[in-house]
Amino acid sequence: MRLPQGGGYGTVADFLTDRFPPHDAGFTRDLFDRGDVFDADGTPLDFDAAFAPGGHVWVFRPLPDEPELPGDLPILYEDDHVLAVDKPHSLPVTPRGSFVRQTAVTKLRNSTGNEELSPAHRLDRLTAGVLLFAKTREARGPLQGLFELQRVSKTYELIAPLEPMAPERPEADDVAPPRHLPKYPEEPHMVRSRIVKDSSSLQAREVEGPPNAVTGVVLLEELGDSGWGLYGANPLSGKTHQIRVHMNSIGRPICGDPLYPQIRNDELERPIGRLQLLAREILLKHPFTQEYLRIRSDRNLGISTFADSTGIGAADREEP
């Protein structure tokens, strides 16, 4: 890894302790004692090795203990360039944080024997549905470029309240959320705002300024007399947590969402999340064959075990 130019670190050990969990000096010393930290030439480093801004080190860290996560990844489409799978809820796409083996890319590389598999786009750990991979190095750029240039039509489904929730701050001078949303096949309600996400918070947030995120939302079905509805959402941009932020902004946070409207640490600590959000379908022009591909998830959403997970009840609705 490349060492940063700044940071004020005295030793490589100081940097590694700050950079990697569990952020413990004793854990870092064990890395050096085992001979798992090397300089760019492959020479083992001592625990007191000086930090060299812009330098390189090799670090072999033990893999963390990982809870077993859902690993069923049915193939929805495959050719010489593209692999599309139906990702389950709660499975990360790529190694991050405490998950390395329990990720879609690791599981698929192991099951297919193809070490060149690379995800073409993002999909949150808690979100299920269609996930595309490039099968070769040559396919990565063209396939990822379609998503970066927003040349892929994406349709999501989600479960959220039928009626808007009361705002967190009743005194807030915000625009009231719409009482009713259009029902398919009516034209969708368009949500436009400026969304930013930085490392200061787990939540993305809406700020003043020109919109950089647009989502169309339409009610697909009322789920009996539960007070919940099945919605369709079409993001016309790709900001982090965009659909989750926009549904919350119109008073209808997604069922099981541990971040919106409030951060719920008890839910975030669950290995198996309860967010009812599904990447139902993508439509794109194949970058090699130039044929259109429409790929749909076979998964379903439900409220039988999730309806109470957000703590939303009748008392939280807006009064008429």
Side-chain angles (χ1 to χ4, degrees):
M1 72 172 61
R2 185 179 180 88
L3 300 178
Q5 291 292 341
Y9 302 105
T11 65
V12 174
D14 291 338
F15 165 71
L16 295 179
T17 300
D18 183 56
R19 173 66 176 81
F20 296 113
H23 309 293
D24 177 76
F27 180 87
T28 303
R29 178 178 283 278
D30 288 342
L31 291 177
F32 285 87
D33 290 345
R34 290 197 303 267
D36 286 342
V37 185
F38 303 83
D39 66 14
D41 297 324
T43 303
L45 292 176
D46 294 329
F47 180 71
D48 58 357
F51 179 85
H56 289 81
V57 296
W58 294 91
V59 182
F60 295 89
R61 294 187 300 142
L63 293 177
D65 293 331
E66 300 177 49
E68 189 72 24
L69 298 179
D72 56 314
L73 290 158
I75 294 175
L76 300 173
Y77 174 85
E78 184 174 13
D79 62 27
D80 292 340
H81 311 283
V82 178
L83 174 67
V85 299
D86 210 351
K87 187 183 88 69
H89 288 100
S90 302
L91 183 69
V93 175
T94 57
R96 186 177 183 183
S98 60
F99 297 105
V100 178
R101 293 180 294 263
Q102 297 295 317
T103 63
V105 68
T106 301
K107 289 176 179 290
L108 286 170
R109 285 177 177 175
N110 289 338
S111 65
T112 65
N114 182 359
E115 291 296 324
E116 294 189 355
L117 275 177
S118 179
H121 59 109
R122 300 192 312 268
L123 198 60
D124 288 346
R125 181 177 84 86
L126 299 182
T127 305
V130 181
L131 176 62
L132 262 63
F133 287 83
K135 293 180 64 176
T136 64
R137 294 181 185 272
E138 295 74 21
R140 290 178 188 173
L143 197 56
Q144 292 172 354
L146 293 177
F147 288 89
E148 292 169 0
L149 295 173
Q150 299 177 15
R151 293 179 178 172
V152 179
S153 175
K154 296 171 285 187
T155 300
Y156 287 74
E157 292 179 4
L158 58 98
I159 293 176
L162 288 171
E163 298 291 330
M165 293 176 58
E168 293 181 67
R169 296 177 297 122
E171 72 280 4
D173 190 23
D174 297 328
V175 176
R179 169 63 64 183
H180 301 289
L181 292 178
K183 189 169 184 178
Y184 182 82
E186 297 176 31
E187 289 297 311
H189 174 77
M190 305 305 295
V191 187
R192 296 177 173 86
S193 69
R194 185 167 192 83
I195 295 177
V196 298
K197 174 71 174 72
D198 56 45
S199 60
S200 66
S201 175
L202 295 174
Q203 293 177 320
R205 65 186 188 278
E206 294 177 298
V207 298
E208 295 293 331
N212 63 0
V214 181
T215 306
V217 181
V218 65
L219 177 64
L220 300 177
E221 178 185 355
E222 296 184 12
L223 300 179
D225 58 359
S226 66
W228 298 88
L230 177 66
Y231 294 86
N234 294 96
L236 304 184
S237 45
K239 296 300 177 183
T240 300
H241 297 176
Q242 176 175 320
I243 296 175
R244 298 164 68 178
V245 170
H246 277 169
M247 290 302 298
N248 183 57
S249 74
I250 60 174
R252 294 166 173 86
I254 300 174
C255 181
D257 196 328
L259 291 180
Y260 306 95
Q262 296 177 332
I263 296 176
R264 302 183 63 200
N265 290 318
D266 58 331
E267 287 293 317
L268 288 174
E269 292 171 0
R270 294 172 55 94
I272 308 300
R274 303 196 275 191
L275 178 70
Q276 293 301 286
L277 178 61
L278 173 69
R280 172 62 73 192
E281 179 182 286
I282 64 169
L283 174 65
L284 73 159
K285 192 173 184 179
H286 196 295
F288 294 94
T289 68
Q290 302 305 308
E291 296 178 353
Y292 280 96
L293 288 179
R294 185 185 301 273
I295 305 173
R296 286 182 59 84
S297 169
D298 292 325
R299 298 188 184 276
N300 294 304
L301 300 173
I303 59 170
S304 59
T305 57
F306 302 106
D308 296 328
S309 65
T310 57
I312 298 173
D316 298 307
R317 314 290 185 204
E318 284 192 327
E319 293 299 324

